[in-house]
Amino acid sequence: FTVFFRMIWLVLIISFFFIDRENMIMVSILLILLFILTVITVIRVLESRNEWRKMIEDGDVEIKNHL
């Protein structure tokens, strides 16, 4: 999933260079895709944060310097 997800981001970024700004359908599709990828990224970041918190609480990871 991670490789596929990164490839979608790459395709999205490259497509911004070649988009026809007069074509509202292309613009709409790219904006919707950007929104979906952003939401997925935020969800993945929050899930990763929760996993790290659990690992720290369980003692699997040592924190050298506490903030």
Side-chain angles (χ1 to χ4, degrees):
F1 179 76
T2 302
V3 174
F4 178 70
F5 187 70
R6 288 179 183 169
M7 292 303 273
I8 293 175
W9 271 111
L10 182 65
V11 168
L12 181 72
I13 291 170
I14 291 172
S15 64
F16 278 126
F17 293 113
F18 299 108
I19 188 174
D20 180 18
R21 293 187 181 136
E22 301 297 323
N23 188 348
M24 290 306 293
I25 294 173
M26 285 181 71
V27 171
S28 299
I29 290 171
L30 282 176
L31 286 174
I32 290 169
L33 185 61
L34 179 63
F35 179 74
I36 291 170
L37 288 175
T38 303
V39 168
I40 292 172
T41 301
V42 168
I43 291 170
R44 290 182 71 191
V45 166
L46 292 174
E47 182 65 29
S48 178
R49 179 195 66 178
N50 291 338
E51 288 179 13
W52 274 102
R53 284 183 177 176
K54 183 180 179 198
M55 290 173 67
I56 290 170
E57 288 173 1
D58 291 343
D60 296 338
V61 177
E62 292 182 21
I63 300 175
K64 292 184 179 181
N65 296 324
H66 295 286
L67 296 176

